[in-house]
Amino acid sequence: MNASSNARLHRRIVLQATAIALGLGSTALAFAQQGPGAAGWPARPISLVVPFPAGGTTDVLARALADKLSQSLGQPVVVESKPGAGATLGADYVAKARPDGYTLLMGAVHHTIATSVYRKLPYDFQKDLAPVTVVAMVPNVLVVNAAKTPAKNVAELVALAKAAPEKLAYGSNGNGTAQHLIGTQFQASTGTKLLHVPYKGSGPLTTDLLGGQVAMSFDTITPVLQHIKGGKLRALAVTIARRSSVLPDVPTLDEAGLKGFDIGTWFGVLAPAATPKEIVARLNAEMVKIIHSPDFAQRMQAIGAEPLGGTQEEMARQIREETAKFAKLVKEGGVAIE
């Protein structure tokens, strides 16, 4: 091999080595940009925090999602209940959790309301939590204890309430929840005064509703559906703008005379704000695939829920818009909690 050939070979080796080095450098940079814990995630069980007691709609949805997500991620997704303070204790716990993709929140419309209801919250729902995706929307339904509350429709219930101001009690999932705000809007729309009784979640609320400790509730369809079908609870109206597919004979509040009444409950997953973007994107992709699957849709239909699933940006926009909308309703209703 002559000197010229040696020189060409040397240049080729140098160029190849440089290309390999640049490639390795790019790979290292990509892993570095993923942030701590992004590479190889998930390597251990994931906690999905439910800010209400077991048995309610949030818990039911979380378990349905966790079951499928465990299969797709290859790691257990454990539902962890942290109830209290109108779902804000669980939200605060996740907001302050290590942002490594192993602690998630099953949030809901309640959190966009709590932002305005509570004068002081230890977290900022929009700044301290990163949206992953909206999972489902569940209509709320006005129900009464069939044996102890004689009203057969909304007009009769309004008449009962007006005849005994602040005597007819309605239960909610806690101060600052959708059920609470629906109750305040119902009173404003009908000129009635009801007694509000807050609970930690749908489980204890439904127990007392069946026992007659409270006369009525505006809870989501899921925890009361079996009792409506069993005749122990009577459904008077759904609180969204269209009828529910699982209760097609029950009118909307708008149809019952409360024009423009349209408040439902959505549920979605969020992560601590600093969670690596790659992990949040992976979670979104896996969850949306599950939510749009026929099996999940069938499970949602059975509990009166409408599966949604969408982008992180869509959920963030929904949170912004509803926070502003509910701030106005909270102010009009004079709802405030220290």
Side-chain angles (χ1 to χ4, degrees):
M1 186 178 290
N2 58 33
S4 177
S5 297
N6 282 334
R8 286 196 299 271
L9 179 60
H10 177 72
R11 283 196 300 271
R12 188 179 304 137
I13 292 171
V14 170
L15 288 171
Q16 288 175 342
T18 301
I20 291 170
L22 287 172
L24 290 173
S26 298
T27 302
L29 177 61
F31 276 105
Q33 288 175 335
Q34 284 184 328
W41 178 93
R44 55 186 172 84
I46 296 167
S47 175
L48 180 56
V49 174
V50 170
F52 290 108
T57 305
T58 319
D59 181 67
V60 171
L61 283 174
R63 292 183 188 281
L65 181 64
D67 179 45
K68 295 292 186 181
L69 195 59
S70 296
Q71 298 173 31
S72 65
L73 291 178
Q75 289 288 345
V77 178
V78 181
V79 175
E80 184 179 359
S81 180
K82 289 191 177 295
T88 63
L89 290 184
D92 183 48
Y93 174 82
V94 175
K96 291 178 170 60
R98 186 175 178 181
D100 55 9
Y102 291 101
T103 305
L104 307 173
L105 173 71
M106 179 58 87
V109 66
H110 313 302
H111 294 107
T112 62
I113 299 170
T115 299
S116 299
V117 170
Y118 286 84
R119 298 188 190 280
K120 294 180 181 179
L121 280 176
Y123 65 91
D124 186 308
F125 191 62
Q126 294 190 59
K127 292 180 180 179
D128 297 336
L129 290 156
V132 177
T133 188
V134 176
V135 176
M137 194 285 294
V138 184
N140 292 66
V141 58
L142 167 56
V143 295
V144 297
N145 182 303
K148 298 188 177 183
T149 307
K152 300 295 192 299
N153 53 52
V154 173
E156 291 181 7
L157 181 66
V158 170
L160 283 176
K162 286 185 175 180
E166 298 185 345
K167 298 296 183 183
L168 205 62
Y170 79 95
S172 79
N173 284 356
N175 290 313
T177 59
Q179 295 89 350
H180 180 193
L181 192 60
I182 291 170
T184 64
Q185 291 304 300
F186 180 85
Q187 293 172 79
S189 299
T190 58
T192 56
K193 291 185 178 180
L194 305 173
L195 176 65
H196 175 225
V197 182
Y199 289 83
K200 285 188 175 181
S202 294
L205 164 58
T206 304
T207 298
D208 275 10
L209 181 60
L210 292 170
Q213 281 75 28
V214 289
M216 55 190 283
S217 80
F218 299 91
D219 207 349
T220 49
I221 285 178
T222 306
V224 296
L225 183 59
Q226 62 176 320
H227 304 299
I228 294 171
K229 292 181 175 180
K232 293 182 179 180
L233 298 178
R234 183 182 302 118
L236 303 186
V238 293
T239 70
I240 58 173
R242 61 188 183 281
R243 294 194 181 196
S244 166
S245 60
V246 296
L247 295 173
D249 296 329
V250 178
T252 66
L253 279 174
D254 185 274
E255 290 173 324
L258 278 63
K259 297 303 178 183
F261 209 111
D262 184 16
I263 302 178
T265 299
W266 58 262
F267 301 85
V269 177
L270 303 99
T275 302
K277 292 181 179 179
E278 289 76 13
I279 291 180
V280 177
R282 171 86 185 280
L283 282 166
N284 173 271
E286 297 290 351
M287 289 183 188
V288 169
K289 183 168 63 176
I290 291 167
I291 293 165
H292 290 169
S293 70
D295 286 350
F296 194 81
Q298 188 173 13
R299 292 184 72 171
M300 294 301 97
Q301 173 65 23
I303 62 173
E306 176 188 347
L308 296 176
T311 68
Q312 301 157 238
E313 293 74 17
E314 287 170 340
M315 185 178 182
R317 182 170 62 250
Q318 181 171 340
I319 288 172
R320 287 195 302 272
E321 291 174 352
E322 294 204 351
T323 298
K325 179 182 78 173
F326 287 123
K328 182 175 181 292
L329 294 179
V330 166
K331 184 177 181 180
E332 290 174 354
V335 181
I337 302 167
E338 295 296 338

